Amino acid sequence: MAKRYRRRARAARSWHAGQTVSPVAERKPRSRWRPGYWLRHPALGVPIGAFVALLVAYLGVVSLHERNEMMARGERAVGTVRELHGRNWSASVAFTTRAGEQVIAWVGHPPWNEPYIGEDVDLSYDRDRPERAYLSGDEPGLLPVILFLGGAVALGVAQTWWLWRNWSRLRNEADAWRSRRPVPRLGARR
């Protein structure tokens, strides 16, 4: 059965003059648009890593801006706790601004120092946006700013080091994928 199939396959082939009879087939031109090539190429890691690091740095700058605004425009008031939300450690507080406006704001509180309903608490609030209020001593500090900006630098350094270490291997795997040679699956352990 197998012999008959081979004979039919050989007979069906057409031979041209000057055609080589070698077992190695001609190489197909490499296609840059084969699905998965750019996903496998390490150059994709550069914009993704830069985007993540810049996003974390942006969060740090926004946190620093909020802190500076609170330090420049912050005012003090005494408010009364109206409602507690225990799962989020937040409390609804009613207070009167210096301009005489009645404001109800949600403020966060630490779990170990939970106020009770009806308690008077000291607040710091932004005079331009009084709904942005904090318990006294719980105003935004520099710790989130340092963590975000330091995290952005650490992510950038880690991504650069990882790409520097694995660039040639990942590029070779992407080229092998484009040339249709077997490569490990994306995300598979090596």
Side-chain angles (χ1 to χ4, degrees):
M1 179 82 136
K3 287 183 182 179
R4 265 191 282 162
Y5 176 75
R6 284 189 202 142
R7 282 186 205 143
R8 262 192 253 147
R10 281 187 204 145
R13 286 190 204 152
S14 62
W15 296 94
H16 301 282
Q19 183 177 4
T20 61
V21 187
S22 69
V24 179
E26 285 187 33
R27 261 187 115 160
K28 294 180 183 176
R30 298 189 319 184
S31 167
R32 289 186 180 266
W33 303 111
R34 184 164 185 222
Y37 172 70
W38 291 108
L39 290 176
R40 291 177 180 276
H41 202 279
L44 183 65
V46 174
I48 290 174
F51 175 75
V52 170
L54 287 175
L55 179 67
V56 173
Y58 174 75
L59 292 174
V61 170
V62 167
S63 181
L64 179 65
H65 181 68
E66 282 185 11
R67 179 191 175 277
N68 290 342
E69 280 186 347
M70 192 63 187
M71 297 298 284
R73 299 188 312 228
E75 294 184 0
R76 300 231 177 242
V78 176
T80 305
V81 178
R82 298 180 60 225
E83 184 182 343
L84 293 172
H85 198 290
R87 289 186 180 168
N88 296 336
W89 294 311
S90 57
S92 174
V93 179
F95 64 95
T96 305
T97 63
R98 283 191 182 176
E101 181 183 355
Q102 287 284 341
V103 178
I104 298 173
W106 284 90
V107 297
H109 63 82
W112 57 85
N113 190 15
E114 184 173 347
Y116 54 88
I117 296 175
E119 179 182 2
D120 290 336
V121 292
D122 292 328
L123 297 172
S124 296
Y125 67 94
D126 187 350
R127 71 173 166 256
D128 292 342
R129 294 188 297 179
E131 64 277 353
R132 252 183 66 197
Y134 301 93
L135 290 177
S136 291
D138 198 29
E139 295 92 357
L142 283 175
L143 182 62
V145 174
I146 292 169
L147 290 177
F148 279 127
L149 294 179
V153 170
L155 282 172
V157 168
Q159 178 74 8
T160 303
W161 174 80
W162 185 81
L163 282 174
W164 175 75
R165 190 162 184 239
N166 296 310
W167 184 275
S168 63
R169 180 181 54 81
L170 293 172
R171 193 192 67 226
N172 289 339
E173 285 180 6
D175 286 338
W177 172 262
R178 186 170 58 183
S179 302
R180 293 177 163 71
R181 292 190 306 263
V183 294
R185 293 180 61 133
L186 279 175
R189 295 192 69 151
R190 291 166 177 71

